[in-house]
Amino acid sequence: MPTTGAPQATDGAGDTAAAPTGERPRWGAKPVLAARLAVPQQRHRLVLRAHLLARVSEGTDGPLTLVRGPAGAGKTFLVASWVAGGWPRHPVAWLSLDADVDAPGVFWAHFLQALEAAGVVLADIGVPARAEEIDRLFLAELAASLSELPGPVVVVLDDFDRIASQRVARQLDYVLTYAAPQLRLIVTTRGQLPPGFHRHRVAGETVEISARDLALTTDEASELLRLHGVDLPEPSVEALTERMEGWVTGLRISALALAHGEPPERLWQQSAGRHGDIAEFILAEVLDQQRPEVQDLLLRTSILERVHSDLADALTGRSDGEQILEELTRASTFVRLIPDDEPWYRYHQLFAEALQGRLRSTGLDVTALHRAASQWLADHDELPAAVSHAAACGDWQLAAAHMVDHLAIGQLLVGLETHRLAHAFADMPADEPSAEAALVEAALAMAQFDAPRCVAALDRAAARSGRVPEPRRAALLLGVACVRVIVSRLTGDLEAAEGAADETRELMSRVPAAQLARGPELAALMTSSLGTMQLWSGRVEVAGETLRAALGVGRTVTTAYPLSNCLGQLAVVNYLEGDLRQARQRALESLELASRFGLSPAARVPVGHLAAALVAWEWDDLEALRSHTDQAATSVAATHDPTVVSTLALLRARHRLSRRQPAAALACLDSAEAVRDRLPRGSFVIPLLVAERAAAHVSLGETQTALSLLAELPVDDPDRRLALARVQLASGQPAAALDTLGDAPDGSGLPLSCLVRMNLVAAQARHATGETLAARRQLGRALEIARPQGCRRPFVDVAAWVRQMLSAEQLLAEDHGWLGKKLVGAVEGARGVAEVPQLVVEELSGRELDVLRLVAQPMSSREAAEELHLSVNTVKTHLRSVYRKLAATSRTTAVRRARTLGLL
């Protein structure tokens, strides 16, 4: 409109007000305007969501309802469905907005025509005379006229984000405030609450339906698909819904594609950049609507999983990243601030994929973008993302260098990022020439238990280290030395392990402390592996010192595995030293640590279960033995680590022999033969395996085979002497057995189980030669050695003979009632029977006893919680403690043992 010469004044809202010039002319309705005043007809088959429609109705009880979400989120459909479905209780005026309605005069002219179209006629209210200006008197008269209406009117302002003028928003807020309570607004927008309206939110007068609310659930997505004639199984619907993140338009386009024969798998496997309809919608409705600098930022940062404003600046070469990302977030453009991770942002995955499709056609150097992103992320300790971007552009030297610089080689073996890092390096060529890449390959080979490939890669890394500049060279060589120690667990080479450990200690002095602190898991893995090798090589005392020193490392996600291994190996140390109770306690600590850090059964260190099973065997708790061996077998290491494979075979063979199944025991022992040459020299488990195999052959009547097996062992080996004496005793040669055992074993340097059994075999042999008094004394000695630790199994193995001896020695039976009724029999006055099998590590608390009594009735955890006025989680915590103290793995076992022990 042409500007008149009338005097101008400024209104209270900051707008220029025109002086009254008489009657305002009424603008005629145009066809396009008429379309904007009509409620949009819904031609698409979409899901009606009653709970959201009810929210809209709830909002119209107050002044303002805000429906906010990105393009295609279903905002307009929701409100249009609300109108068409007869939900409104008041007249509804509809106004679809666009950029050409941005001027204040034009907006209010359209606003008035929307009211008229809804049958709401305001007396004495004209139409603005100028497009760019509106006077305050007009707004005041409009508000007054609206407030005098006989009933409320609802005005829907659809796509309000297309109105850029803040003056219009302030004027609308003014009218809404003073037209109360008769004016009710419903605003749909891609952006935040319009300026000036925040006081309505603060006052609790705004009902907001967000993008999260608009996203379809799996059930709603399934209904949408059925409306399009598509019926998918629930897992497929879940995958598609997750892929689209509940985005209505994406799901509708997918439904149409499926209805036309598109294979379902392609919809959640192919990127949005290859899905023409989805990409076209996103690019046209979102990207192409942005300013050039915003488009440039979006395209360059589309390669990122998470976007930081400073990283965006590094990729664009500008400094407007923070401002643009905040604008995009407020405008609901598929850009979201990551909760609890500020100031990082993420793009809707379909949005990112559509942007990446456009990026490939722009001519921008994508390789350079990945390399720049990789370096920025590495500099800011975002290692997995840095490695992924270096891998994405094929710069394997850079990717591996990040691993070395961060001393993160151990993270390829343990921690939360193991899988992600391994995936990033999956396509690295085997002939990658850098020393850093060779070290990474070695760690990846170790993670797959491929010892030959690991050792070869370590040799290449060491040979090429001369080309690596300091200070990276020291970190590289430190990684090589540490992995050499770790792989020794698979090769059984203690000498190489100890040499590499010495080299590790020297190299640590050359690496800055801050760098060492970045990778605590590497040192923990090295020390844990060294202690393991020392232990299984028979250097028990030295191993104990090494393993205990390793426990000083902080317990974190990355150190949980090696520390759990240390505790489990220490349990074996305690077992070999004869402290069964401490061994079991250490084993439980190992398992508890693994559980606390969420290590899956397959990823856990099996030695904790093995140590607990060794103790269970000595306590004659076959149920616990079977449970722990079964759980140890679920670990990946149970098929690769020679010490684990061998110990599992030994324990399973013992269990089979206890059930008089010698052939099955031999089959169990056969599995250990394949790894025998990889056990460390001097390993204590080798003579135990041979002795168990000899015992199985004796059970089969194959005494000569047993003797030839034992002849392979060193003459002075105590396990050989014990096994040979048992064969001789079983063959009717008690005198030979006594000669083999020599003088009465005094226990110096012998494991508890071996010492007890030697005394027991000697007692049997003396009894067989008629030395009854000496036999009684030898049996008493065996019992006295075994009693403090509850070592009951040696006596169960010869139960008939023990019962015979105890029945003739009432005082001896009374002193050793801890053996239980099975062995002691019905001897009067037998003491300590209630202590069998001495499985309580520590006393149960009063509250734990209360919980145990209730679950024994039986009650569920919830019922017990209600009875004791505790939370369910507290009851479960008490139950876990009860299981630990009673060496139980289930409620049934715990109750049975508690009754045996007289606790119930």
Side-chain angles (χ1 to χ4, degrees), residues 487-796:
V487 78
S488 69
R489 292 183 61 177
L490 303 183
T491 63
D493 192 341
L494 175 62
E495 184 177 349
E498 293 192 319
D502 290 339
E503 185 180 356
T504 295
R505 297 184 188 98
E506 190 276 326
L507 287 165
M508 282 183 171
S509 65
R510 295 166 50 189
V511 176
Q515 193 173 10
L516 286 174
R518 281 177 163 179
E521 67 282 342
L522 189 58
L525 282 165
M526 185 277 294
T527 310
S528 167
S529 298
L530 176 62
T532 299
M533 282 297 297
Q534 292 168 334
L535 170 60
W536 293 87
S537 297
R539 300 176 59 188
V540 179
E541 186 176 349
V542 175
E545 294 174 359
T546 302
L547 293 165
R548 279 187 284 271
L551 293 179
V553 178
R555 299 187 177 188
T556 66
V557 169
T558 57
T559 62
Y561 184 94
L563 291 182
S564 177
N565 179 67
C566 284
L567 288 166
Q569 302 293 349
L570 279 170
V572 178
V573 169
N574 295 142
Y575 169 79
L576 294 175
E577 291 175 341
D579 193 342
L580 301 184
R581 299 186 187 285
Q582 181 64 20
R584 183 176 177 280
Q585 182 63 31
R586 288 286 196 190
L588 293 179
E589 288 176 12
S590 170
L591 300 175
E592 183 182 355
L593 180 63
S595 177
R596 188 188 314 156
F597 282 91
L599 295 177
S600 68
R604 290 182 185 179
V605 181
V607 70
H609 284 299
L610 295 180
L614 287 168
V615 174
W617 170 251
E618 302 301 345
W619 282 347
D620 190 38
D621 188 347
L622 298 185
E623 182 180 347
L625 170 72
R626 183 173 59 252
S627 173
H628 283 296
T629 52
D630 287 348
Q631 291 181 76
T634 63
S635 168
V636 176
T639 56
H640 296 91
D641 189 319
T643 62
V644 177
V645 173
S646 300
T647 309
L648 264 178
L650 174 67
L651 288 164
R652 285 172 164 169
R654 285 177 172 177
H655 187 234
R656 299 298 189 278
L657 272 180
S658 72
R659 301 173 65 181
R660 297 180 175 81
Q661 298 173 351
L666 288 172
C668 292
L669 292 168
D670 287 341
S671 64
E673 287 300 312
V675 299
R676 182 170 173 176
D677 61 342
R678 291 195 284 126
L679 286 167
R681 269 180 311 191
S683 175
F684 65 84
V685 78
I686 292 176
L688 293 176
L689 290 166
V690 174
E692 207 65 32
R693 185 176 289 277
H697 282 293
V698 169
S699 295
L700 290 170
E702 301 167 354
T703 304
Q704 282 305 121
T705 303
L707 291 171
S708 62
L709 285 170
L710 294 174
E712 299 174 6
L713 298 176
V715 175
D716 59 347
D717 186 277
D719 290 304
R720 175 194 177 277
R721 289 167 54 206
L722 172 61
L724 179 57
R726 293 173 74 174
V727 173
Q728 292 166 334
L729 182 63
S731 303
Q733 305 174 57
L738 288 170
D739 288 340
T740 299
L741 291 173
D743 295 333
D746 60 4
S748 54
L750 293 179
L752 173 70
S753 60
C754 182
L755 182 60
V756 172
R757 286 173 171 84
M758 279 187 168
N759 276 279
L760 192 53
V761 171
Q764 289 179 277
R766 295 190 187 283
H767 186 263
T769 59
E771 303 175 59
T772 305
L773 182 59
R776 188 258 181 215
R777 289 173 179 169
Q778 198 96 48
L779 173 60
R781 182 171 185 179
L783 288 166
E784 288 302 322
I785 295 171
R787 175 162 55 184
Q789 296 296 328
C791 187
R792 185 168 174 259
R793 184 67 210 185
F795 306 97
V796 175

Side-chain angles (χ1 to χ4, degrees), residues 58-59 77 130 146 152 187 189 207 217 239 247 316-317 373 388 425 483 629 631 681 762 867 879 892 900:
E58 177 189 347
F77 172 78
R130 302 178 61 185
L146 287 168
V187 176
T189 179
V207 169
T217 64
W247 183 42
T316 63
S388 295
F425 283 107
V483 177
T629 52
Q631 291 181 76
R681 269 180 311 191
E867 180 73 18
L879 271 178
T892 302
T900 301

Side-chain angles (χ1 to χ4, degrees), residues 39 50 52-61 65 77-94 118 151-156 184-186:
V39 178
L52 291 184
L53 295 171
R55 288 282 304 282
V56 177
S57 288
E58 177 189 347
T60 58
D61 289 338
T65 305
F77 172 78
L78 173 65
V79 181
S81 299
W82 177 77
V83 176
W87 287 77
R89 296 184 293 272
H90 315 295
V92 177
W94 187 286
V153 59
V154 178
V155 178
V156 179
R184 317 284 173 85
L185 291 183
I186 299 177

